[in-house]
Amino acid sequence: MKTLRIKLGNNSDLRLPASILRKGGLVAFPTETVYGLGANALDENAVKKIFEAKGRPSDNPLIVHVSDKEELFALVSKVPEKAQKLMDKFWPGPLTLVLNKSKSVPRAVTAGQETVAIRMPNNKIALELIKQSGIPVAAPSANVSTRPSPTEAKHVLEDLDGKIDAIIDGGRTDIGLESTVIDLTSETPTILRPGKITKEELEKVIGKIETKAKAGKVAKAPGMKYKHYSPKAKVILVTKKEIPSLKRKLGTKKIGIILKEGTFEEFAKSLFSKFREMDKKGIEVILVEKIKEKGLGVAIMNRLKKAAGEI
Ligand code: TXA
Ligand code: MG
């Protein structure tokens, strides 16, 4: 299949990609976090194509994207008060809510679970595309499974050119890390994946939150159990001081170094693209500077530890 590239000028016309989605095709599109690979969330066959194109395990559920808060009501069986508060405060934005699903959501989307993850992205192109398509859009990150999430259209093409119907190029994404995922179906709301919106920000709105499933419980965000966000190179997390001795130890290996320069926001925004650039150069070991697990640092370190195989 030839992948149609759609570059938007000032008069953004999304009728074509919207109609591809409606007809059951796959369209990659920018969001404020990373690029997503969209399909009609109500069409089981369309959703299955996402899993095929990405090589994604079928037990890993997808996030359903909406363009209006009201669209959530048809997708879930009930909306707890805390969910309503979070939507009011953070949508559109990088926050995904896990709620009990309604009958209209196909099993392929939720990987057989009774819950569904939903998010309203804060990106003009994404919102307009979903609105014009007139359907909720299931979309994981638009990378081949286990590769770093794409933050530019060219990353999507590296992984999926020829496997999807179209891609909308909206430039570089703002945040560069995937959304915060919070489960609101358990007694105490639980963060399943940290992101730009932090635990502290969420607790200000809904009170006490847990960070992860208690020890002994199975991973609740199935995606978090897979090796993720990984470049091909081996990733080692280091302090700046450790770099010289590690370099000596690694001898003739091709080494790449990623230091935290600038703000956490800047670090997050460029991290995945640096991983991809280093893979292209044939780097064998990437040394990445550890950062403080505070604010956005929690999400950054989560992705780094995963890439390093530490969690
Ligand atoms: O920022 C984002 O969230 C991006 C953009 C495209 O919206 N999407 C994204 O999707 O990162 P994906 O599929 O790469 O990650 C979704 C995560 C996975 O860890 C998955 O297991 C979890 O959300 N998830 C989805 N549905 C779930 C559910 N019903 N219960 C628990 N976890 C769920
Ligand atoms: Mg992903």
Side-chain angles (χ1 to χ4, degrees):
M1 144 192 336
K2 186 157 169 46
T3 300
L4 181 70
R5 290 153 168 75
I6 301 169
K7 182 111 192 170
L8 293 177
N10 287 334
N11 48 350
S12 53
D13 185 352
L14 292 164
R15 275 174 299 181
L16 180 58
S19 80
I20 294 175
L21 283 178
R22 260 196 314 276
K23 287 182 198 146
L26 299 185
V27 177
F29 61 95
T31 79
E32 80 279 38
T33 57
V34 300
Y35 275 76
L37 177 60
N40 180 352
L42 305 178
D43 176 346
E44 183 119 40
N45 283 326
V47 169
K48 284 186 179 152
K49 289 186 201 165
I50 292 180
F51 287 88
E52 272 165 38
K54 280 181 61 92
R56 182 178 177 107
S58 59
D59 66 348
N60 190 4
L62 308 176
I63 297 173
V64 178
H65 295 66
V66 295
S67 62
D68 190 296
K69 290 175 198 164
E70 299 296 313
E71 287 167 47
L72 169 126
F73 294 94
L75 302 169
V76 302
S77 60
K78 78 169 202 260
V79 183
E81 202 189 327
K82 287 178 181 171
Q84 187 65 54
K85 283 186 175 164
L86 292 177
M87 284 158 63
D88 290 342
K89 173 80 181 167
F90 296 108
W91 279 13
L95 179 68
T96 297
L97 306 180
V98 173
L99 296 165
N100 287 312
K101 80 177 200 72
S102 72
K103 287 204 180 88
S104 65
V105 183
R107 292 175 66 83
V109 172
T110 66
Q113 300 202 59
E114 284 308 311
T115 56
V116 60
I118 306 178
R119 152 168 137 80
M120 179 178 175
N122 187 17
N123 173 287
K124 262 195 191 160
I125 296 174
L127 289 172
E128 193 56 33
L129 175 71
I130 301 164
K131 196 170 144 202
Q132 288 201 19
S133 66
I135 42 164
V137 175
S141 49
N143 50 284
V144 159
S145 215
T146 80
R147 299 275 297 137
S149 293
T151 54
E152 293 178 46
K154 69 174 185 199
H155 301 158
V156 177
L157 289 168
E158 275 165 23
D159 283 13
L160 298 171
D161 196 10
K163 293 185 187 169
I164 61 177
D165 296 285
I167 170 161
I168 306 169
D169 187 343
R172 226 173 140 198
T173 59
D174 278 342
I175 297 172
L177 295 183
E178 308 84 351
S179 62
T180 306
V181 179
I182 183 167
D183 181 3
L184 293 162
T185 66
S186 46
E187 218 170 82
T188 311
T190 307
I191 293 180
L192 304 179
R193 180 175 71 186
K196 165 96 176 159
I197 296 177
T198 62
K199 183 172 181 237
E200 291 71 28
E201 285 176 281
L202 294 166
E203 283 187 327
K204 270 192 202 146
V205 181
I206 57 164
K208 192 175 161 17
I209 290 174
E210 278 174 25
T211 340
K212 53 179 179 230
K214 288 197 191 83
K217 260 198 195 167
V218 282
K220 270 205 103 184
M224 298 308 276
K225 75 180 183 227
Y226 296 106
K227 190 168 155 60
H228 242 109
Y229 320 110
S230 322
K232 290 171 195 140
K234 181 178 166 62
V235 173
I236 306 178
L237 306 185
V238 299
T239 60
K240 252 189 190 158
K241 270 195 195 153
E242 290 167 333
I243 293 176
S245 68
L246 259 169
K247 273 171 99 174
R248 276 194 299 277
K249 217 166 116 190
L250 290 165
T252 56
K253 283 234 156 49
K254 272 188 103 172
I255 298 170
I257 296 176
I258 300 177
L259 298 176
K260 185 224 155 235
E261 287 152 340
T263 62
F264 279 6
E265 278 73 20
E266 286 160 346
F267 194 42
K269 190 166 174 163
S270 62
L271 180 66
F272 288 154
S273 95
K274 282 184 181 153
F275 277 170
R276 281 179 180 263
E277 276 162 31
M278 289 189 179
D279 272 348
K280 273 201 195 140
K281 286 188 198 147
I283 300 279
E284 292 162 286
V285 183
I286 306 177
L287 306 180
V288 191
E289 186 182 355
K290 285 184 214 170
I291 60 164
K292 264 214 187 97
E293 292 185 60
K294 259 200 105 180
L296 184 56
V298 174
I300 297 172
M301 281 301 288
N302 169 270
R303 307 309 190 270
L304 287 177
K305 285 179 185 168
K306 284 198 164 286
E310 289 182 17
I311 52 173

Short mmCIF file of all heavy atoms in Angstrom, two decimals, residues 29 31 33-37 54 56 60-63 65 94 96 98-99 109-110 113 115-117 119 121 139-143 149 177-181 192-193 220-224 228-229, ligand 1:
data_model
loop_
_atom_site.label_atom_id
_atom_site.label_comp_id
_atom_site.label_asym_id
_atom_site.label_seq_id
_atom_site.Cartn_x
_atom_site.Cartn_y
_atom_site.Cartn_z
N PHE A 29 -1.55 10.66 12.86
CA PHE A 29 -1.80 12.09 13.06
C PHE A 29 -1.05 12.59 14.29
O PHE A 29 -0.76 11.83 15.21
CB PHE A 29 -3.31 12.36 13.19
CG PHE A 29 -3.95 11.67 14.36
CD1 PHE A 29 -4.13 12.32 15.58
CD2 PHE A 29 -4.38 10.34 14.26
CE1 PHE A 29 -4.72 11.69 16.67
CE2 PHE A 29 -4.97 9.69 15.35
CZ PHE A 29 -5.13 10.36 16.55
N THR A 31 -0.49 14.51 17.85
CA THR A 31 -1.20 15.00 19.03
C THR A 31 -0.19 15.87 19.78
O THR A 31 0.94 16.01 19.32
CB THR A 31 -1.69 13.86 19.97
OG1 THR A 31 -0.60 13.39 20.75
CG2 THR A 31 -2.32 12.71 19.20
N THR A 33 1.22 15.07 22.47
CA THR A 33 2.21 14.21 23.14
C THR A 33 3.15 13.58 22.13
O THR A 33 4.33 13.92 22.04
CB THR A 33 1.49 13.12 23.96
OG1 THR A 33 0.65 12.37 23.09
CG2 THR A 33 0.69 13.72 25.10
N VAL A 34 2.61 12.62 21.35
CA VAL A 34 3.37 11.93 20.30
C VAL A 34 2.40 11.70 19.14
O VAL A 34 1.20 11.95 19.27
CB VAL A 34 3.92 10.56 20.81
CG1 VAL A 34 4.86 10.77 22.00
CG2 VAL A 34 2.80 9.60 21.19
N TYR A 35 2.89 11.20 18.00
CA TYR A 35 1.99 10.87 16.90
C TYR A 35 1.18 9.61 17.24
O TYR A 35 1.70 8.68 17.87
CB TYR A 35 2.77 10.62 15.60
CG TYR A 35 3.07 11.91 14.84
CD1 TYR A 35 4.07 12.77 15.28
CD2 TYR A 35 2.32 12.28 13.71
CE1 TYR A 35 4.33 13.96 14.61
CE2 TYR A 35 2.57 13.46 13.04
CZ TYR A 35 3.57 14.30 13.49
OH TYR A 35 3.82 15.48 12.83
N GLY A 36 -0.09 9.62 16.84
CA GLY A 36 -0.94 8.45 17.05
C GLY A 36 -1.25 7.77 15.73
O GLY A 36 -1.18 8.39 14.67
N LEU A 37 -1.58 6.47 15.81
CA LEU A 37 -2.00 5.73 14.62
C LEU A 37 -3.48 5.41 14.78
O LEU A 37 -3.86 4.55 15.56
CB LEU A 37 -1.18 4.44 14.46
CG LEU A 37 -1.60 3.56 13.28
CD1 LEU A 37 -1.46 4.32 11.96
CD2 LEU A 37 -0.78 2.28 13.24
N LYS A 54 1.44 -2.35 13.60
CA LYS A 54 2.44 -2.07 14.64
C LYS A 54 3.17 -3.31 15.14
O LYS A 54 4.19 -3.21 15.80
CB LYS A 54 1.75 -1.45 15.87
CG LYS A 54 1.45 0.02 15.78
CD LYS A 54 0.79 0.52 17.07
CE LYS A 54 1.61 0.35 18.31
NZ LYS A 54 2.45 1.48 18.69
N ARG A 56 1.71 -5.17 17.31
CA ARG A 56 1.40 -5.00 18.73
C ARG A 56 0.72 -6.24 19.28
O ARG A 56 -0.20 -6.77 18.65
CB ARG A 56 0.46 -3.80 18.88
CG ARG A 56 0.06 -3.43 20.31
CD ARG A 56 -0.82 -2.20 20.24
NE ARG A 56 -1.36 -1.74 21.49
CZ ARG A 56 -0.93 -0.65 22.13
NH1 ARG A 56 0.06 0.05 21.65
NH2 ARG A 56 -1.52 -0.26 23.23
N ASN A 60 -2.79 -5.87 24.47
CA ASN A 60 -2.45 -4.51 24.91
C ASN A 60 -3.48 -3.51 24.37
O ASN A 60 -3.48 -3.20 23.18
CB ASN A 60 -1.04 -4.16 24.42
CG ASN A 60 -0.52 -2.87 25.03
OD1 ASN A 60 -1.19 -2.26 25.87
ND2 ASN A 60 0.65 -2.45 24.60
N PRO A 61 -4.38 -3.02 25.23
CA PRO A 61 -5.50 -2.20 24.76
C PRO A 61 -5.09 -0.82 24.24
O PRO A 61 -4.01 -0.33 24.54
CB PRO A 61 -6.36 -2.07 26.01
CG PRO A 61 -5.43 -2.25 27.15
CD PRO A 61 -4.36 -3.19 26.69
N LEU A 62 -6.01 -0.21 23.48
CA LEU A 62 -5.75 1.08 22.84
C LEU A 62 -6.48 2.21 23.55
O LEU A 62 -7.49 1.99 24.20
CB LEU A 62 -6.24 1.04 21.39
CG LEU A 62 -5.74 -0.12 20.53
CD1 LEU A 62 -6.42 -0.06 19.15
CD2 LEU A 62 -4.23 -0.09 20.39
N ILE A 63 -5.97 3.42 23.36
CA ILE A 63 -6.65 4.61 23.88
C ILE A 63 -7.63 5.11 22.82
O ILE A 63 -7.28 5.20 21.64
CB ILE A 63 -5.63 5.72 24.21
CG1 ILE A 63 -4.69 5.26 25.33
CG2 ILE A 63 -6.35 7.01 24.62
CD1 ILE A 63 -3.54 6.23 25.62
N HIS A 65 -9.66 8.20 21.29
CA HIS A 65 -9.55 9.65 21.28
C HIS A 65 -10.87 10.29 20.86
O HIS A 65 -11.48 9.86 19.89
CB HIS A 65 -8.43 10.09 20.31
CG HIS A 65 -7.06 9.64 20.75
ND1 HIS A 65 -6.70 8.31 20.80
CD2 HIS A 65 -5.98 10.34 21.17
CE1 HIS A 65 -5.44 8.22 21.24
NE2 HIS A 65 -4.98 9.43 21.46
N PRO A 94 -3.02 16.11 27.94
CA PRO A 94 -2.31 14.83 27.95
C PRO A 94 -2.68 13.93 29.13
O PRO A 94 -1.81 13.49 29.88
CB PRO A 94 -0.84 15.25 28.01
CG PRO A 94 -0.86 16.56 28.73
CD PRO A 94 -2.16 17.22 28.37
N THR A 96 -5.15 10.55 30.10
CA THR A 96 -6.02 9.46 29.64
C THR A 96 -6.73 8.85 30.85
O THR A 96 -6.09 8.53 31.85
CB THR A 96 -5.16 8.38 28.94
OG1 THR A 96 -4.57 8.96 27.78
CG2 THR A 96 -6.01 7.19 28.54
N VAL A 98 -9.03 5.84 32.46
CA VAL A 98 -9.51 4.46 32.30
C VAL A 98 -10.80 4.31 33.09
O VAL A 98 -10.83 4.55 34.31
CB VAL A 98 -8.44 3.44 32.76
CG1 VAL A 98 -9.00 2.02 32.75
CG2 VAL A 98 -7.19 3.53 31.89
N LEU A 99 -11.88 3.95 32.37
CA LEU A 99 -13.21 3.85 32.97
C LEU A 99 -13.87 2.54 32.54
O LEU A 99 -13.36 1.86 31.63
CB LEU A 99 -14.07 5.04 32.50
CG LEU A 99 -13.58 6.42 32.94
CD1 LEU A 99 -14.26 7.52 32.14
CD2 LEU A 99 -13.82 6.61 34.44
N VAL A 109 -10.51 -3.21 20.90
CA VAL A 109 -9.97 -1.95 21.41
C VAL A 109 -9.43 -2.13 22.82
O VAL A 109 -8.35 -1.65 23.17
CB VAL A 109 -11.06 -0.84 21.43
CG1 VAL A 109 -10.56 0.40 22.14
CG2 VAL A 109 -11.50 -0.51 20.02
N THR A 110 -10.21 -2.84 23.66
CA THR A 110 -9.86 -2.93 25.08
C THR A 110 -9.10 -4.22 25.38
O THR A 110 -8.86 -4.53 26.55
CB THR A 110 -11.13 -2.89 25.95
OG1 THR A 110 -11.91 -4.07 25.69
CG2 THR A 110 -11.97 -1.66 25.63
N GLN A 113 -10.68 -6.42 27.93
CA GLN A 113 -10.95 -5.91 29.29
C GLN A 113 -12.30 -5.21 29.33
O GLN A 113 -12.84 -4.79 28.32
CB GLN A 113 -9.88 -4.89 29.68
CG GLN A 113 -8.48 -5.46 29.69
CD GLN A 113 -7.57 -4.62 30.56
OE1 GLN A 113 -7.81 -4.47 31.76
NE2 GLN A 113 -6.52 -4.10 29.98
N THR A 115 -12.69 -2.43 30.79
CA THR A 115 -12.42 -1.00 30.93
C THR A 115 -11.94 -0.43 29.59
O THR A 115 -11.45 -1.17 28.73
CB THR A 115 -11.33 -0.75 31.98
OG1 THR A 115 -10.17 -1.51 31.59
CG2 THR A 115 -11.78 -1.18 33.35
N VAL A 116 -12.10 0.88 29.44
CA VAL A 116 -11.63 1.55 28.21
C VAL A 116 -10.87 2.82 28.60
O VAL A 116 -11.23 3.52 29.54
CB VAL A 116 -12.81 1.87 27.25
CG1 VAL A 116 -13.83 2.80 27.90
CG2 VAL A 116 -12.30 2.45 25.94
N ALA A 117 -9.79 3.08 27.86
CA ALA A 117 -8.97 4.28 28.10
C ALA A 117 -9.40 5.35 27.10
O ALA A 117 -9.52 5.08 25.91
CB ALA A 117 -7.50 3.93 27.92
N ARG A 119 -9.16 9.64 25.85
CA ARG A 119 -8.46 10.92 26.00
C ARG A 119 -8.92 11.91 24.93
O ARG A 119 -9.25 11.51 23.81
CB ARG A 119 -6.97 10.61 25.88
CG ARG A 119 -6.06 11.67 25.36
CD ARG A 119 -4.62 11.25 25.61
NE ARG A 119 -3.76 11.52 24.45
CZ ARG A 119 -3.25 12.71 24.18
NH1 ARG A 119 -3.51 13.74 24.95
NH2 ARG A 119 -2.47 12.88 23.12
N PRO A 121 -7.27 14.85 23.00
CA PRO A 121 -5.95 15.47 22.81
C PRO A 121 -6.05 16.98 22.62
O PRO A 121 -7.05 17.48 22.12
CB PRO A 121 -5.42 14.79 21.55
CG PRO A 121 -6.64 14.33 20.81
CD PRO A 121 -7.70 14.07 21.84
N ALA A 139 -6.28 5.05 18.97
CA ALA A 139 -4.94 5.35 18.48
C ALA A 139 -3.86 5.08 19.53
O ALA A 139 -3.80 5.77 20.55
CB ALA A 139 -4.85 6.80 18.02
N PRO A 140 -3.01 4.10 19.24
CA PRO A 140 -1.79 3.96 20.04
C PRO A 140 -0.74 4.89 19.45
O PRO A 140 -0.99 5.54 18.43
CB PRO A 140 -1.40 2.51 19.80
CG PRO A 140 -1.86 2.24 18.39
CD PRO A 140 -3.10 3.09 18.19
N SER A 141 0.42 4.96 20.07
CA SER A 141 1.51 5.72 19.46
C SER A 141 1.85 5.08 18.11
O SER A 141 1.77 3.86 17.96
CB SER A 141 2.72 5.72 20.38
OG SER A 141 3.00 4.41 20.82
N ALA A 142 2.23 5.92 17.13
CA ALA A 142 2.37 5.44 15.74
C ALA A 142 3.77 4.90 15.43
O ALA A 142 4.39 5.26 14.43
CB ALA A 142 2.00 6.57 14.77
N ASN A 143 4.25 4.03 16.30
CA ASN A 143 5.56 3.39 16.10
C ASN A 143 5.35 1.89 15.98
O ASN A 143 4.31 1.37 16.39
CB ASN A 143 6.46 3.67 17.31
CG ASN A 143 5.76 3.34 18.62
OD1 ASN A 143 4.90 4.09 19.08
ND2 ASN A 143 6.10 2.20 19.20
N SER A 149 8.34 6.10 20.77
CA SER A 149 7.18 6.77 20.18
C SER A 149 7.63 7.88 19.24
O SER A 149 8.64 8.54 19.50
CB SER A 149 6.30 7.36 21.27
OG SER A 149 5.70 6.35 22.03
N LEU A 177 6.44 13.09 25.20
CA LEU A 177 6.20 11.87 25.98
C LEU A 177 4.71 11.58 25.96
O LEU A 177 3.89 12.50 25.90
CB LEU A 177 6.62 12.04 27.44
CG LEU A 177 8.09 12.26 27.78
CD1 LEU A 177 8.24 12.34 29.30
CD2 LEU A 177 8.98 11.17 27.20
N GLU A 178 4.36 10.30 26.08
CA GLU A 178 2.95 9.91 26.04
C GLU A 178 2.18 10.41 27.26
O GLU A 178 2.77 10.70 28.29
CB GLU A 178 2.83 8.38 25.96
CG GLU A 178 3.64 7.72 24.85
CD GLU A 178 5.08 7.46 25.24
OE1 GLU A 178 5.51 7.95 26.31
OE2 GLU A 178 5.78 6.79 24.48
N SER A 179 0.84 10.42 27.12
CA SER A 179 -0.03 10.98 28.16
C SER A 179 0.07 10.22 29.49
O SER A 179 0.45 9.04 29.53
CB SER A 179 -1.48 10.93 27.68
OG SER A 179 -1.87 9.59 27.45
N THR A 180 -0.31 10.91 30.55
CA THR A 180 -0.51 10.28 31.87
C THR A 180 -1.75 9.39 31.76
O THR A 180 -2.77 9.83 31.24
CB THR A 180 -0.78 11.37 32.93
OG1 THR A 180 0.26 12.34 32.88
CG2 THR A 180 -0.90 10.77 34.32
N VAL A 181 -1.64 8.14 32.23
CA VAL A 181 -2.82 7.25 32.22
C VAL A 181 -3.25 7.02 33.67
O VAL A 181 -2.45 6.57 34.49
CB VAL A 181 -2.52 5.89 31.55
CG1 VAL A 181 -3.76 4.99 31.58
CG2 VAL A 181 -2.04 6.07 30.11
N LEU A 192 -1.30 4.66 36.07
CA LEU A 192 -0.73 3.47 35.42
C LEU A 192 0.49 3.85 34.58
O LEU A 192 1.35 3.02 34.33
CB LEU A 192 -1.77 2.80 34.52
CG LEU A 192 -3.08 2.39 35.20
CD1 LEU A 192 -4.02 1.75 34.18
CD2 LEU A 192 -2.80 1.40 36.34
N ARG A 193 0.51 5.08 34.10
CA ARG A 193 1.68 5.55 33.34
C ARG A 193 1.86 7.04 33.64
O ARG A 193 0.95 7.83 33.40
CB ARG A 193 1.44 5.35 31.83
CG ARG A 193 2.62 5.83 30.98
CD ARG A 193 2.43 5.52 29.50
NE ARG A 193 1.40 6.35 28.90
CZ ARG A 193 0.97 6.21 27.64
NH1 ARG A 193 1.46 5.25 26.88
NH2 ARG A 193 0.04 7.01 27.17
N LYS A 220 -1.65 -3.43 35.49
CA LYS A 220 -2.98 -3.06 35.01
C LYS A 220 -2.97 -2.37 33.66
O LYS A 220 -3.92 -2.47 32.91
CB LYS A 220 -3.71 -2.22 36.06
CG LYS A 220 -4.52 -3.10 36.99
CD LYS A 220 -5.68 -2.36 37.60
CE LYS A 220 -7.02 -2.71 36.96
NZ LYS A 220 -8.11 -1.91 37.51
N ALA A 221 -1.91 -1.65 33.34
CA ALA A 221 -1.80 -1.13 31.98
C ALA A 221 -0.94 -2.14 31.24
O ALA A 221 0.28 -2.11 31.34
CB ALA A 221 -1.15 0.23 31.95
N PRO A 222 -1.57 -3.06 30.53
CA PRO A 222 -0.81 -4.17 29.95
C PRO A 222 0.40 -3.69 29.16
O PRO A 222 1.43 -4.35 29.16
CB PRO A 222 -1.83 -4.85 29.05
CG PRO A 222 -3.16 -4.49 29.65
CD PRO A 222 -2.99 -3.11 30.20
N GLY A 223 0.28 -2.52 28.56
CA GLY A 223 1.38 -2.01 27.74
C GLY A 223 2.64 -1.79 28.54
O GLY A 223 3.75 -1.82 28.01
N MET A 224 2.49 -1.53 29.83
CA MET A 224 3.64 -1.19 30.64
C MET A 224 4.52 -2.40 30.94
O MET A 224 5.61 -2.27 31.46
CB MET A 224 3.21 -0.50 31.95
CG MET A 224 2.47 0.81 31.74
SD MET A 224 3.35 1.97 30.68
CE MET A 224 4.46 2.75 31.84
N HIS A 228 9.80 -1.22 26.05
CA HIS A 228 9.14 -0.08 25.44
C HIS A 228 10.12 1.02 25.18
O HIS A 228 11.16 1.08 25.81
CB HIS A 228 8.14 0.48 26.47
CG HIS A 228 6.75 0.40 26.00
ND1 HIS A 228 5.87 -0.48 26.53
CD2 HIS A 228 6.08 1.07 25.04
CE1 HIS A 228 4.70 -0.33 25.95
NE2 HIS A 228 4.80 0.61 25.04
N TYR A 229 9.75 1.94 24.36
CA TYR A 229 10.47 3.20 24.22
C TYR A 229 11.94 2.96 23.95
O TYR A 229 12.79 3.74 24.35
CB TYR A 229 10.33 4.04 25.50
CG TYR A 229 8.94 3.99 26.09
CD1 TYR A 229 8.67 3.33 27.28
CD2 TYR A 229 7.89 4.57 25.40
CE1 TYR A 229 7.38 3.26 27.78
CE2 TYR A 229 6.60 4.51 25.89
CZ TYR A 229 6.35 3.86 27.09
OH TYR A 229 5.09 3.79 27.57
O1 TXA B 1 -0.12 10.29 24.54
C1 TXA B 1 -0.64 9.20 24.32
O2 TXA B 1 -1.29 8.58 25.16
C2 TXA B 1 -0.47 8.61 22.91
C3 TXA B 1 -1.20 9.52 21.92
C4 TXA B 1 -1.22 8.98 20.53
O3 TXA B 1 -2.52 9.76 22.38
N1 TXA B 1 -0.97 7.28 22.86
C5 TXA B 1 -0.34 6.22 23.43
O4 TXA B 1 -0.96 4.99 23.23
O5 TXA B 1 0.70 6.33 24.05
P1 TXA B 1 -0.25 3.60 23.53
O6 TXA B 1 -1.18 2.58 23.00
O7 TXA B 1 1.10 3.62 22.99
O8 TXA B 1 -0.26 3.49 25.11
C6 TXA B 1 -1.47 3.29 25.79
C7 TXA B 1 -1.23 2.80 27.19
C8 TXA B 1 -0.68 1.38 27.20
O9 TXA B 1 0.25 1.25 28.26
C9 TXA B 1 -1.94 0.55 27.47
O10 TXA B 1 -1.68 -0.69 28.06
C10 TXA B 1 -2.72 1.48 28.39
O11 TXA B 1 -2.47 2.77 27.88
N2 TXA B 1 -4.17 1.19 28.31
C11 TXA B 1 -4.99 1.34 27.27
N3 TXA B 1 -6.24 0.92 27.57
C12 TXA B 1 -6.21 0.52 28.85
C13 TXA B 1 -7.16 -0.04 29.75
N4 TXA B 1 -8.42 -0.25 29.39
N5 TXA B 1 -6.75 -0.35 31.00
C14 TXA B 1 -5.50 -0.13 31.38
N6 TXA B 1 -4.54 0.38 30.58
C15 TXA B 1 -4.89 0.69 29.33
#
